[in-house]
Each structure stands twice: as structure tokens, then as C-alpha cells.
Amino acid sequence: MSKSDSPIKLEGLSKARGKRWDHLELLERIDASGSISSAATAMGMSYKAAWQAVEAINNLSHEAVLIRQPGGSTGGGTCLTEYGRRMVATYRRLEQEWAAVPAALGRTMDDFDQYYTMSRRFDMQTSARNQFLGTVTAVKMGAVNAEIILDIGRGEELAAIITNDSAEHLALEVGSEAYALVKAQWIILAVGDDIKTSARNRLTGTVVRCQEGAVNAEVVIELPGGKTVASIITNESVKVLGLKEGVRASALIKASHIILAVAS
């Protein structure tokens, strides 16, 4: 990192510092207690808010930050991965060096550029419940629309259909980084392996949370590797599909229902 880069990057860090520091404390408390519930209680957060924060952190990271531990006599739990611990340690070092920036920062923080880039991902504000960071692996231009293939990591891909103008405006090309945003209401859930559908995308995993409301329910599916996808469906659909924790299910997403975004 060059000295000339530091003022710009530090300005961005300062603006987002408060929210990200809450994320760091949550991660630290989860790692110390092995429980999201205990960490949320200690911070005065709701269990749901803590889980949503955890899911967002994992989905916006190229590597898993937290992992679930199998249940047993103690009921299992959640802990940080080695990558997650390094990320937290990097930001805590940043706190300690804050008074000495920018000169000391470049000398003492080998991981700064990598984790600063990740920190900026938490600054994006959107109403879309599902946010995935990925790398463009293919761009196929048509007469009007373009098909963009996004590798979101851990063996999962998403295909999005956007206009050619949008693809050009976002400067999407193979190797570029982009976000896939999907509203929970746009995701169709299905069970069973013999499924025929016109939906271009299918993400299969295990139901880890199923919370019913007055009319609708939020169902969260954990994909292999730790990423999650949340869907809003009716309570009746939950009953018909037999959805509950531990059930294998698929999230079906039309390519036209995926919104792509890039960092400015």
C-alpha cells in the first residue's frame, strides 16, 4: 500500500467504522462463547439480527468467516475460522495503530489491503435480503440482453440476465468482481432432487432456520461451504413442502431476478 493511497482509504474506514466495529465485537463474542445466542444477548442484539449479520458476513467473504460445529451432547455451536480470526485481528491492530496513521499503518499491517477491501463490502446498503460477492467467469452478449455468469465461491454459480447497456455501464468482464442481489420474495423453494424448472439458478443446501409469521415465513438454507440464502414464502407452503431445520431444499432463482452491482 502506498502512502498516497492511505488518506482515501482511511476516510472510507472512518465513515463505516461504527457498524463494522459492531460486527467485529459480535465475531469475537461468538468465538469466545461458541454461541451466537450468547453473543447476541451480551451485545443487546436480537438473535435474528445476530444471525442475519453472521450470514451477511459469510456471504460477502470469499472464504468462510464462521462455521457451524456439529451438535452433540452440548448441542453444537459456532466458531470463527482461521481466516475469520485473522480478519478480526487485523482490524483490532488497526484500532491500536489509529493514532499513528497513515505512516505507521503501511509498515505494520501486511493484511490491510486484503481486509480493507472486505470491510468496504459491509458499507453497501440495500433492501435485498440476499447479497453474494462473486467473480465474473463469462459474459455472453445478445441482441438486447447479456448473460453474466458469476462464481460466488465454494462451487456455486449464479447466472444473471441484464441489458447490454447495463453490462457495459457496469464494465463487466471476465475476472471482474460483482455483487448479486436477490430479494427473498423472488426465491422459490423446492424439495427433492428430481425437479424440472425454468429457473436458471438452483442452489441446494439444508434448512437451518424456519421462522413463521402471521402469513409468511422466512426460510434460510445453508449451502455447502457456509453461504446462506433466505426466502420468504407463505406458511402454507412451508407445511406443504415439509420445511423444517435439517431438511434438504433448493432455492430456485430466475436469471432475470438477479440484480448485479459493482463497487464504485
Side-chain angles (χ1 to χ4, degrees):
M1 182 184 68
S2 67
K3 292 183 178 180
S4 61
D5 291 334
S6 299
I8 298 175
K9 291 188 174 183
L10 292 174
E11 180 182 0
L13 279 170
S14 179
K15 290 179 180 178
R17 193 181 183 207
K19 180 173 68 174
R20 187 164 58 255
W21 260 224
D22 289 342
H23 281 142
L24 291 181
E25 183 180 352
L26 177 62
L27 294 179
E28 289 173 328
R29 290 184 179 275
I30 290 172
D31 203 36
S33 66
S35 167
I36 291 181
S37 178
S38 296
T41 299
M43 293 184 63
M45 298 174 65
S46 70
Y47 180 71
K48 181 178 181 180
W51 258 119
Q52 288 182 348
V54 166
E55 290 163 358
I57 291 169
N58 257 353
N59 284 358
L60 293 177
S61 171
H62 284 301
E63 296 184 36
V65 175
L66 298 101
I67 55 174
R68 299 174 190 270
Q69 295 175 316
S73 59
T74 59
T78 305
C79 67
L80 266 64
T81 62
E82 182 58 32
Y83 176 85
R85 292 190 179 102
R86 292 202 314 271
M87 183 189 73
V88 171
T90 295
Y91 284 129
R92 288 312 184 200
R93 293 205 311 272
L94 176 57
E95 266 191 319
Q96 296 170 3
E97 297 290 340
W98 196 258
V101 294
L105 189 59
R107 295 195 305 269
T108 62
M109 298 189 62
D110 296 335
D111 294 334
F112 179 78
D113 283 335
Q114 176 184 2
Y115 292 117
Y116 170 77
T117 300
M118 182 172 178
S119 77
R120 292 299 303 272
R121 298 169 191 163
F122 301 135
D123 300 342
M124 180 173 60
Q125 302 295 313
T126 171
S127 64
R129 177 70 172 81
N130 299 287
Q131 305 172 33
F132 300 98
L133 175 69
T135 302
V136 176
T137 58
V139 177
K140 183 178 181 180
M141 306 295 286
V144 177
N145 294 326
E147 180 185 71
I148 311 297
I149 305 298
L150 198 66
D151 178 2
I152 62 174
R154 304 164 210 174
E156 302 290 351
E157 284 187 341
L158 289 175
I161 297 295
I162 62 176
T163 64
N164 291 342
D165 287 344
S166 293
E168 293 172 1
H169 174 70
L170 296 174
L172 295 174
E173 58 184 16
V174 174
S176 62
E177 193 173 76
Y179 300 91
L181 312 177
V182 190
K183 296 187 66 173
Q185 293 88 341
W186 291 348
I187 294 178
I188 299 170
L189 297 186
V191 295
D193 295 323
D194 187 18
I195 303 171
K196 294 182 179 180
T197 173
S198 64
R200 181 71 170 78
N201 301 288
R202 176 178 175 180
L203 301 175
T204 300
T206 303
V207 175
V208 293
R209 195 164 70 252
C210 188
Q211 183 176 358
E212 294 189 20
V215 177
N216 295 325
E218 180 187 65
V219 181
V220 178
I221 297 174
E222 184 175 77
L223 308 176
K227 289 185 184 292
T228 56
V229 55
S231 175
I232 298 296
I233 62 175
T234 64
N235 293 338
E236 183 63 24
S237 293
V238 170
K239 295 176 182 178
V240 170
L241 294 173
L243 295 172
K244 59 182 179 180
E245 288 187 21
V247 170
R248 182 177 171 83
S250 296
L252 309 178
I253 311 169
K254 295 181 65 175
S256 58
H257 281 173
I258 294 179
I259 298 172
L260 296 184
V262 297
S264 58

